[in-house]
C-alpha cells in the first residue's frame, strides 16, 4: 500500500511539473509582434497616403527656395530605451520629402533588421515609391550619413567607411556624430535577445515645422 501511494504521488508530481513547464513556455511566447515591429512601413493608414504625400510636396514647394538642407528635420533616439535626442538634417530632395510625409510629430518606433558591423551601417526597407533622380556615387561614407538605395533600402552609417563606392540617394545626416558609433553598438548589444529579431530600434520624430 505504501509503495502504491508513493507511486501515485510521483505520477502526480511529474504531471504537475509537465503542466508547469508547458505553461512557462506559453508565457514566454511573445505572440505576433505589433504592427510597427513586424511591418513598420505599413503603420500609416493607407487612406491618408495621398494627403500626406501631397502635403509634403506642397511644403516642399514652399521650402525649397530656402536652401538645400532642411535643418533639424528629424529627431532620433537610438535604442528602445534611448534617452539621447540626436538631430538629423534632411536634404531637400524628393526621397527625403517622401519619407517626411510618412512621419509625424509623435515618436515612431522604427526597427532595423540589418546590422553590419564591418560595413558600419544598419538598414531597413522603407515605405514609398522613390525615383532615382538624385542618386549619385559616393566614394567615402562618413559616420552619421543616411542613404536610400535601389529597392527602398535605407542605410544609416554609424562609421566612416573609406572606399565604400556606393550608388545611392543621399537623404540626410546626423548633425552630431560624437559617440554615435558607440550608441548604435550598445543598442545592438542590448537587443541581441529581441523576440522579434530586431537588431536595433530607433525612435523617430519629425520636428520640421
Amino acid at each position: 500500500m505504501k509503495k502504491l501511494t508513493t507511486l501515485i504521488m510521483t505520477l502526480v508530481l511529474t504531471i504537475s511539473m509537465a503542466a508547469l513547464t508547458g505553461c512557462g513556455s506559453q508565457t514566454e511566447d511573445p505572440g505576433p509582434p505589433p504592427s510597427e515591429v513586424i511591418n513598420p512601413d505599413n503603420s500609416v493608414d493607407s487612406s491618408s497616403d495621398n494627403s500626406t504625400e501631397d502635403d509634403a510636396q506642397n511644403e516642399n514647394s514652399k521650402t525649397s527656395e530656402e536652401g538645400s538642407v532642411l535643418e533639424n528635420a528629424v529627431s532620433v533616439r537610438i535604442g528602445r530605451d534611448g534617452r539621447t535626442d540626436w538631430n538629423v538634417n534632411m536634404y531637400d530632395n524628393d526621397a527625403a520629402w517622401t519619407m517626411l510625409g510618412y512621419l509625424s510629430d509623435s515618436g515612431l518606433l522604427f526597427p532595423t533588421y540589418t546590422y553590419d558591423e564591418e560595413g558600419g551601417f544598419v538598414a531597413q526597407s522603407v515605405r514609398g515609391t522613390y525615383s532615382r533622380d538624385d542618386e549619385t556615387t559616393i566614394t567615402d561614407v562618413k559616420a552619421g550619413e543616411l542613404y536610400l538605395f535601389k529597392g527602398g533600402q535605407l542605410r544609416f552609417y554609424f562609421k566612416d567607411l573609406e572606399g565604400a563606392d556606393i550608388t545611392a540617394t543621399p537623404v540626410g545626416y546626423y548633425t552630431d556624430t560624437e559617440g554615435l558609433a558607440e550608441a548604435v553598438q550598445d543598442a545592438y548589444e542590448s537587443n541581441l535577445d529581441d523576440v522579434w529579431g530586431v537588431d536595433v530600434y530607433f525612435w523617430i520624430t519629425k520636428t520640421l515645422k
Side-chain angles (χ1 to χ4, degrees):
M1 182 67 178
K2 184 177 180 180
K3 289 183 178 180
L4 180 60
T5 301
T6 301
L7 179 60
I8 292 174
M9 291 180 63
T10 302
L11 287 172
V12 170
L13 181 61
T14 301
I15 292 171
S16 299
M17 290 298 292
L20 287 172
T21 302
C23 291
S25 62
Q26 290 176 0
T27 302
E28 294 172 1
D29 182 1
S35 59
E36 71 270 19
V37 172
I38 192 171
N39 199 358
D41 54 359
N42 285 335
S43 61
V44 178
D45 191 330
S46 60
S47 63
S48 65
D49 288 352
N50 292 333
S51 61
T52 54
E53 288 185 5
D54 290 343
D55 290 343
Q57 292 298 330
N58 291 336
E59 194 67 29
N60 186 6
S61 63
K62 298 175 185 177
T63 311
S64 59
E65 297 178 359
E66 299 176 6
S68 59
V69 174
L70 310 170
E71 294 187 357
N72 299 328
V74 174
S75 176
V76 177
R77 290 189 177 187
I78 301 172
R80 191 156 194 166
D81 299 320
R83 294 291 180 266
T84 301
D85 292 313
W86 303 79
N87 291 323
V88 175
N89 289 348
M90 302 288 282
Y91 292 115
D92 189 356
N93 59 34
D94 289 341
W97 279 108
T98 299
M99 292 179 190
L100 288 169
Y102 290 120
L103 298 178
S104 72
D105 55 5
S106 298
L108 169 68
L109 183 62
F110 183 84
T112 58
Y113 292 92
T114 300
Y115 174 90
D116 190 324
E117 176 70 27
E118 183 177 350
F121 66 84
V122 291
Q124 172 65 1
S125 295
V126 293
R127 184 180 190 175
T129 301
Y130 302 91
S131 73
R132 301 175 66 185
D133 295 343
D134 298 300
E135 191 174 72
T136 185
T137 299
I138 300 94
T139 302
D140 300 324
V141 174
K142 301 297 183 183
E145 293 179 336
L146 296 102
Y147 293 97
L148 182 69
F149 285 73
K150 177 183 178 182
Q153 185 191 60
L154 178 66
R155 288 187 186 180
F156 159 43
Y157 284 86
F158 56 90
K159 290 181 179 180
D160 292 343
L161 192 63
E162 295 183 359
D165 292 326
I166 62 172
T167 300
T169 301
V171 291
Y173 57 92
Y174 283 60
T175 60
D176 182 15
T177 60
E178 184 176 354
L180 194 60
E182 292 79 5
V184 175
Q185 290 164 332
D186 289 346
Y188 171 74
E189 292 292 335
S190 66
N191 213 53
L192 288 174
D193 59 348
D194 184 80
V195 293
W196 295 302
V198 176
D199 283 334
V200 182
Y201 286 101
F202 295 84
W203 285 101
I204 303 176
T205 305
K206 182 168 69 174
T207 53
L208 182 69
K209 302 301 182 185

Coordinates of all heavy atoms in Angstrom, one line a residue, residues 115-181:
Y115 N 22.1 44.7 -39.3 CA 23.2 45.3 -38.6 C 24.5 44.8 -39.2 O 24.8 43.6 -39.1 CB 23.1 45.1 -37.1 CG 24.3 45.6 -36.3 CD1 24.3 46.9 -35.8 CD2 25.4 44.8 -36.1 CE1 25.4 47.4 -35.1 CE2 26.5 45.3 -35.3 CZ 26.5 46.6 -34.8 OH 27.6 47.0 -34.1
D116 N 25.3 45.6 -39.8 CA 26.5 45.2 -40.5 C 27.7 45.9 -39.8 O 27.9 47.1 -40.1 CB 26.5 45.6 -42.0 CG 27.6 44.9 -42.8 OD1 28.7 44.9 -42.2 OD2 27.4 44.5 -43.9
E117 N 28.3 45.2 -38.9 CA 29.4 45.8 -38.2 C 30.6 46.2 -39.1 O 31.2 47.3 -39.0 CB 29.9 44.9 -37.1 CG 31.1 45.3 -36.3 CD 30.8 46.5 -35.4 OE1 29.7 46.6 -34.9 OE2 31.7 47.3 -35.1
E118 N 30.9 45.3 -40.0 CA 32.1 45.6 -40.9 C 31.7 46.7 -41.9 O 32.6 47.6 -42.1 CB 32.4 44.3 -41.7 CG 33.6 44.5 -42.6 CD 34.0 43.2 -43.3 OE1 33.4 42.1 -43.0 OE2 34.8 43.2 -44.2
G119 N 30.5 46.7 -42.4 CA 30.1 47.8 -43.3 C 29.8 49.1 -42.6 O 29.7 50.1 -43.2
G120 N 29.6 49.0 -41.3 CA 29.3 50.2 -40.5 C 28.0 50.8 -40.7 O 27.8 52.0 -40.6
F121 N 26.9 50.0 -40.9 CA 25.6 50.5 -41.1 C 24.5 49.6 -40.5 O 24.7 48.4 -40.3 CB 25.3 50.8 -42.6 CG 25.3 49.5 -43.4 CD1 24.1 48.8 -43.5 CD2 26.4 49.1 -44.2 CE1 24.0 47.7 -44.3 CE2 26.3 48.0 -45.0 CZ 25.1 47.2 -45.0
V122 N 23.4 50.2 -40.3 CA 22.1 49.5 -40.0 C 21.2 49.8 -41.2 O 21.3 50.9 -41.8 CB 21.5 49.8 -38.7 CG1 22.4 49.3 -37.6 CG2 21.3 51.3 -38.5
A123 N 20.3 48.9 -41.5 CA 19.4 49.1 -42.7 C 18.1 48.5 -42.5 O 17.9 47.5 -41.7 CB 20.1 48.5 -43.9
Q124 N 17.1 49.1 -43.2 CA 15.8 48.5 -43.3 C 15.1 49.1 -44.5 O 15.3 50.2 -44.9 CB 15.0 49.0 -42.0 CG 13.5 48.6 -42.0 CD 13.2 47.1 -42.0 OE1 14.1 46.3 -42.1 NE2 11.9 46.8 -42.1
S125 N 14.2 48.3 -45.1 CA 13.4 48.8 -46.2 C 12.3 49.8 -45.7 O 11.8 49.6 -44.7 CB 12.7 47.6 -46.9 OG 13.7 46.8 -47.5
V126 N 12.1 50.8 -46.5 CA 11.2 51.9 -46.1 C 10.0 52.0 -47.1 O 10.2 51.7 -48.2 CB 11.9 53.2 -45.9 CG1 12.8 53.2 -44.7 CG2 12.6 53.7 -47.1
R127 N 8.9 52.5 -46.6 CA 7.8 52.7 -47.4 C 7.9 53.8 -48.4 O 8.6 54.8 -48.2 CB 6.6 53.0 -46.5 CG 5.3 53.1 -47.2 CD 4.2 53.4 -46.2 NE 2.9 53.3 -46.7 CZ 1.7 53.4 -46.1 NH1 1.8 53.7 -44.8 NH2 0.6 53.3 -46.7
G128 N 7.3 53.6 -49.6 CA 7.2 54.7 -50.5 C 7.8 54.2 -51.9 O 8.5 53.3 -52.0
T129 N 7.4 55.0 -52.9 CA 7.9 54.8 -54.3 C 8.9 55.9 -54.5 O 8.5 57.1 -54.5 CB 6.8 54.8 -55.3 OG1 5.9 53.7 -55.0 CG2 7.4 54.6 -56.7
Y130 N 10.1 55.6 -54.8 CA 11.2 56.6 -54.9 C 11.8 56.6 -56.3 O 12.1 55.6 -56.9 CB 12.3 56.4 -53.9 CG 11.8 56.4 -52.5 CD1 11.3 55.2 -51.9 CD2 11.7 57.6 -51.8 CE1 10.9 55.2 -50.6 CE2 11.2 57.6 -50.4 CZ 10.8 56.4 -49.9 OH 10.4 56.4 -48.6
S131 N 12.0 57.8 -56.9 CA 12.7 58.0 -58.1 C 14.2 57.9 -57.8 O 14.6 58.0 -56.6 CB 12.5 59.3 -58.8 OG 13.1 60.3 -58.1
R132 N 15.0 57.7 -58.8 CA 16.5 57.7 -58.6 C 17.2 58.9 -59.2 O 18.3 58.9 -59.5 CB 17.0 56.4 -59.2 CG 16.4 55.1 -58.5 CD 16.8 53.8 -59.2 NE 18.2 53.6 -59.0 CZ 18.9 52.6 -59.6 NH1 18.2 51.7 -60.4 NH2 20.1 52.4 -59.3
D133 N 16.4 60.0 -59.3 CA 16.9 61.2 -60.0 C 18.0 61.8 -59.2 O 18.9 62.5 -59.8 CB 15.7 62.2 -60.1 CG 14.7 61.7 -61.1 OD1 14.9 60.8 -61.8 OD2 13.5 62.3 -61.0
D134 N 18.0 61.7 -57.9 CA 19.1 62.3 -57.1 C 20.2 61.3 -56.7 O 21.0 61.6 -55.8 CB 18.5 62.9 -55.8 CG 17.5 64.0 -56.1 OD1 17.9 65.0 -56.8 OD2 16.3 63.9 -55.8
E135 N 20.2 60.1 -57.3 CA 21.1 59.1 -57.0 C 22.5 59.6 -57.5 O 22.7 60.2 -58.5 CB 20.7 57.8 -57.6 CG 21.5 56.6 -57.2 CD 21.0 55.3 -57.8 OE1 21.2 55.1 -59.0 OE2 20.3 54.6 -57.1
T136 N 23.5 59.2 -56.7 CA 24.9 59.5 -57.0 C 25.8 58.5 -56.5 O 25.4 57.6 -55.7 CB 25.3 60.9 -56.4 OG1 26.6 61.3 -56.9 CG2 25.3 60.9 -54.9
T137 N 27.1 58.5 -56.9 CA 28.1 57.6 -56.4 C 28.9 58.3 -55.4 O 29.5 59.4 -55.6 CB 29.0 57.1 -57.6 OG1 28.1 56.4 -58.6 CG2 30.0 56.1 -57.1
I138 N 29.1 57.6 -54.3 CA 29.8 58.2 -53.1 C 31.0 57.3 -52.9 O 30.9 56.1 -52.7 CB 29.0 58.3 -51.9 CG1 27.8 59.2 -52.1 CG2 29.8 58.8 -50.7 CD1 26.5 58.5 -52.5
T139 N 32.2 57.8 -52.9 CA 33.4 57.1 -52.7 C 33.6 56.8 -51.2 O 33.8 55.6 -50.8 CB 34.7 57.8 -53.3 OG1 34.4 58.1 -54.6 CG2 35.9 57.0 -53.1
D140 N 33.6 57.8 -50.4 CA 33.9 57.6 -49.0 C 32.6 58.1 -48.2 O 32.1 59.1 -48.4 CB 35.0 58.5 -48.5 CG 36.3 58.1 -49.2 OD1 36.5 56.9 -49.5 OD2 37.1 59.0 -49.5
V141 N 32.2 57.2 -47.3 CA 31.0 57.5 -46.5 C 31.4 57.9 -45.1 O 32.4 57.4 -44.6 CB 30.1 56.2 -46.4 CG1 29.0 56.4 -45.4 CG2 29.6 55.8 -47.7
K142 N 30.7 58.9 -44.6 CA 31.0 59.4 -43.3 C 30.0 59.0 -42.2 O 28.8 58.8 -42.6 CB 31.0 61.0 -43.3 CG 32.0 61.5 -44.3 CD 33.5 61.2 -43.9 CE 34.5 61.8 -44.8 NZ 35.9 61.4 -44.5
A143 N 30.4 58.8 -41.0 CA 29.5 58.4 -39.9 C 28.4 59.5 -39.8 O 28.6 60.7 -39.9 CB 30.3 58.3 -38.6
G144 N 27.2 59.0 -39.6 CA 26.0 59.8 -39.5 C 25.2 60.1 -40.7 O 24.2 60.7 -40.7
E145 N 25.7 59.6 -41.9 CA 25.0 59.8 -43.1 C 24.0 58.8 -43.4 O 24.1 57.6 -43.0 CB 26.1 59.9 -44.3 CG 27.0 61.1 -44.2 CD 28.0 61.1 -45.3 OE1 28.3 60.0 -45.9 OE2 28.5 62.2 -45.6
L146 N 22.9 59.2 -44.1 CA 21.8 58.3 -44.4 C 21.7 58.3 -46.0 O 21.6 59.3 -46.6 CB 20.5 58.8 -43.8 CG 20.4 58.7 -42.3 CD1 20.6 60.1 -41.7 CD2 19.1 58.1 -41.8
Y147 N 21.5 57.1 -46.5 CA 21.4 56.9 -47.9 C 20.2 56.0 -48.3 O 20.0 55.0 -47.5 CB 22.6 56.3 -48.5 CG 23.8 57.3 -48.5 CD1 24.8 57.2 -47.4 CD2 24.0 58.3 -49.4 CE1 25.8 58.0 -47.4 CE2 25.1 59.1 -49.4 CZ 26.0 59.0 -48.3 OH 27.1 59.9 -48.3
L148 N 19.5 56.3 -49.3 CA 18.5 55.4 -49.8 C 19.0 54.7 -51.1 O 19.4 55.3 -52.0 CB 17.2 56.2 -50.2 CG 16.0 55.4 -50.7 CD1 15.4 54.6 -49.6 CD2 15.0 56.3 -51.3
F149 N 18.9 53.3 -51.0 CA 19.4 52.5 -52.1 C 18.3 52.0 -53.0 O 17.1 52.1 -52.6 CB 20.1 51.3 -51.6 CG 21.5 51.6 -51.0 CD1 21.6 52.3 -49.8 CD2 22.7 51.2 -51.7 CE1 22.9 52.6 -49.3 CE2 23.9 51.5 -51.2 CZ 24.0 52.2 -50.0
K150 N 18.6 51.6 -54.2 CA 17.7 51.0 -55.1 C 16.9 49.9 -54.4 O 17.4 49.1 -53.7 CB 18.4 50.4 -56.3 CG 17.5 49.7 -57.3 CD 18.3 49.1 -58.4 CE 17.4 48.3 -59.4 NZ 18.1 47.6 -60.5
G151 N 15.5 49.9 -54.6 CA 14.7 48.9 -53.9 C 14.1 49.4 -52.6 O 13.4 48.7 -51.9
G152 N 14.5 50.7 -52.2 CA 13.9 51.2 -51.0 C 14.6 50.9 -49.7 O 14.1 51.1 -48.6
Q153 N 15.9 50.4 -49.7 CA 16.6 50.2 -48.5 C 17.3 51.4 -48.0 O 18.0 52.1 -48.7 CB 17.7 49.1 -48.7 CG 18.4 48.7 -47.4 CD 19.6 47.9 -47.6 OE1 20.6 48.3 -48.2 NE2 19.6 46.7 -47.0
L154 N 16.9 51.8 -46.8 CA 17.5 53.0 -46.1 C 18.7 52.5 -45.2 O 18.5 51.6 -44.4 CB 16.5 53.7 -45.3 CG 16.9 54.9 -44.5 CD1 17.4 56.0 -45.4 CD2 15.9 55.4 -43.5
R155 N 19.8 53.1 -45.4 CA 21.0 52.8 -44.6 C 21.4 54.0 -43.8 O 21.5 55.1 -44.3 CB 22.2 52.3 -45.5 CG 22.0 50.9 -46.1 CD 23.3 50.5 -46.8 NE 23.1 49.3 -47.5 CZ 24.1 48.7 -48.2 NH1 25.3 49.3 -48.3 NH2 23.9 47.6 -48.9
F156 N 21.7 53.7 -42.5 CA 22.3 54.7 -41.6 C 23.7 54.2 -41.3 O 23.9 53.2 -40.7 CB 21.4 54.9 -40.4 CG 22.1 55.5 -39.2 CD1 23.0 56.6 -39.3 CD2 22.0 54.9 -37.9 CE1 23.6 57.1 -38.2 CE2 22.6 55.5 -36.8 CZ 23.4 56.5 -37.0
Y157 N 24.7 55.0 -41.7 CA 26.1 54.6 -41.5 C 26.5 55.2 -40.1 O 26.4 56.4 -39.9 CB 27.0 55.1 -42.6 CG 26.9 54.3 -43.9 CD1 25.9 54.6 -44.8 CD2 27.7 53.2 -44.1 CE1 25.8 53.8 -45.9 CE2 27.6 52.5 -45.2 CZ 26.6 52.7 -46.1 OH 26.5 52.0 -47.3
F158 N 27.0 54.4 -39.2 CA 27.4 54.9 -37.9 C 29.0 54.9 -37.8 O 29.5 55.2 -36.8 CB 26.8 54.0 -36.8 CG 27.1 52.5 -36.9 CD1 28.2 52.0 -36.3 CD2 26.2 51.7 -37.5 CE1 28.5 50.6 -36.3 CE2 26.4 50.3 -37.6 CZ 27.6 49.8 -37.0
K159 N 29.6 54.5 -39.0 CA 31.1 54.6 -39.0 C 31.5 55.2 -40.3 O 30.8 55.2 -41.3 CB 31.7 53.2 -39.0 CG 31.6 52.4 -37.7 CD 32.2 51.1 -37.8 CE 32.2 50.3 -36.5 NZ 32.8 48.9 -36.7
D160 N 32.7 55.8 -40.3 CA 33.4 56.3 -41.5 C 33.8 55.0 -42.3 O 34.2 54.0 -41.8 CB 34.6 57.1 -41.3 CG 34.3 58.4 -40.6 OD1 33.2 58.9 -40.7 OD2 35.3 59.0 -40.1
L161 N 33.6 55.1 -43.6 CA 33.9 54.0 -44.5 C 34.6 54.5 -45.8 O 34.0 55.0 -46.7 CB 32.7 53.2 -44.9 CG 32.9 51.8 -45.5 CD1 33.6 50.9 -44.5 CD2 31.6 51.2 -45.9
E162 N 35.9 54.3 -45.8 CA 36.7 54.8 -47.0 C 36.6 53.7 -48.1 O 36.6 52.5 -47.8 CB 38.1 55.0 -46.6 CG 38.4 56.1 -45.6 CD 39.8 56.4 -45.4 OE1 40.7 55.6 -45.9 OE2 40.1 57.3 -44.6
G163 N 36.5 54.2 -49.3 CA 36.4 53.3 -50.4 C 35.1 52.5 -50.5 O 35.1 51.4 -51.0
A164 N 34.0 53.1 -50.0 CA 32.7 52.4 -50.0 C 32.2 52.2 -51.4 O 31.6 51.2 -51.8 CB 31.7 53.2 -49.1
D165 N 32.3 53.3 -52.2 CA 31.9 53.3 -53.6 C 30.5 52.8 -53.7 O 30.2 51.9 -54.5 CB 32.8 52.4 -54.5 CG 34.2 53.0 -54.6 OD1 34.3 54.2 -54.7 OD2 35.2 52.2 -54.6
I166 N 29.6 53.5 -53.0 CA 28.2 53.1 -53.1 C 27.4 54.0 -54.1 O 27.9 55.1 -54.4 CB 27.5 53.2 -51.7 CG1 27.5 54.7 -51.2 CG2 28.1 52.3 -50.7 CD1 26.7 54.9 -50.0
T167 N 26.3 53.5 -54.7 CA 25.5 54.3 -55.5 C 24.1 54.4 -54.9 O 23.4 53.4 -54.7 CB 25.4 53.7 -56.9 OG1 26.7 53.6 -57.5 CG2 24.5 54.5 -57.8
A168 N 23.8 55.6 -54.4 CA 22.5 55.7 -53.6 C 22.1 57.2 -53.6 O 22.8 58.1 -54.1 CB 22.8 55.2 -52.2
T169 N 20.9 57.5 -53.0 CA 20.4 58.8 -52.9 C 20.7 59.3 -51.5 O 20.2 58.8 -50.5 CB 18.9 58.9 -53.2 OG1 18.7 58.4 -54.5 CG2 18.4 60.3 -53.0
P170 N 21.5 60.4 -51.3 CA 21.7 61.0 -50.0 C 20.4 61.6 -49.5 O 19.7 62.3 -50.2 CB 22.7 62.1 -50.2 CG 23.3 61.8 -51.6 CD 22.3 61.1 -52.4
V171 N 20.0 61.2 -48.3 CA 18.7 61.8 -47.7 C 18.9 62.6 -46.5 O 18.0 63.3 -46.1 CB 17.7 60.6 -47.5 CG1 17.2 60.0 -48.8 CG2 18.3 59.6 -46.5
G172 N 20.1 62.5 -45.8 CA 20.3 63.3 -44.6 C 21.5 62.9 -43.9 O 22.3 62.0 -44.3
Y173 N 21.7 63.5 -42.7 CA 22.9 63.2 -41.9 C 22.7 63.7 -40.5 O 21.9 64.7 -40.2 CB 24.1 63.9 -42.5 CG 24.1 65.4 -42.6 CD1 24.5 66.2 -41.6 CD2 23.5 65.9 -43.8 CE1 24.4 67.6 -41.7 CE2 23.5 67.3 -43.9 CZ 23.9 68.2 -42.9 OH 23.8 69.5 -43.0
Y174 N 23.2 63.0 -39.5 CA 23.2 63.4 -38.1 C 24.1 64.7 -37.9 O 25.2 64.7 -38.4 CB 23.7 62.3 -37.2 CG 22.7 61.2 -37.0 CD1 22.2 60.4 -38.0 CD2 22.2 60.9 -35.7 CE1 21.3 59.4 -37.8 CE2 21.3 59.9 -35.5 CZ 20.8 59.1 -36.5 OH 19.9 58.1 -36.3
T175 N 23.6 65.6 -37.2 CA 24.3 66.9 -37.0 C 25.5 66.7 -36.0 O 26.5 67.5 -36.1 CB 23.4 68.0 -36.5 OG1 22.9 67.6 -35.3 CG2 22.3 68.3 -37.5
D176 N 25.4 65.7 -35.2 CA 26.5 65.4 -34.2 C 26.8 64.0 -34.3 O 25.9 63.1 -34.1 CB 26.0 65.8 -32.8 CG 27.1 65.6 -31.7 OD1 28.3 65.5 -32.1 OD2 26.8 65.6 -30.5
T177 N 28.1 63.7 -34.4 CA 28.5 62.2 -34.6 C 29.3 61.8 -33.4 O 29.7 60.6 -33.4 CB 29.3 62.0 -35.9 OG1 30.5 62.9 -35.9 CG2 28.4 62.4 -37.1
E178 N 29.6 62.6 -32.4 CA 30.4 62.2 -31.3 C 29.6 61.1 -30.5 O 28.5 61.4 -30.0 CB 30.7 63.4 -30.4 CG 31.6 63.0 -29.2 CD 32.1 64.2 -28.4 OE1 31.7 65.3 -28.8 OE2 32.7 64.0 -27.4
G179 N 30.2 60.0 -30.3 CA 29.5 58.9 -29.6 C 28.5 58.1 -30.3 O 27.8 57.3 -29.8
L180 N 28.3 58.5 -31.6 CA 27.3 57.8 -32.4 C 27.5 56.4 -32.6 O 26.6 55.5 -32.4 CB 27.2 58.5 -33.8 CG 26.0 58.3 -34.7 CD1 24.7 58.7 -34.0 CD2 26.1 59.0 -36.0
A181 N 28.7 56.0 -33.0 CA 29.0 54.5 -33.2 C 28.8 53.7 -32.0 O 28.2 52.7 -32.0 CB 30.5 54.4 -33.7

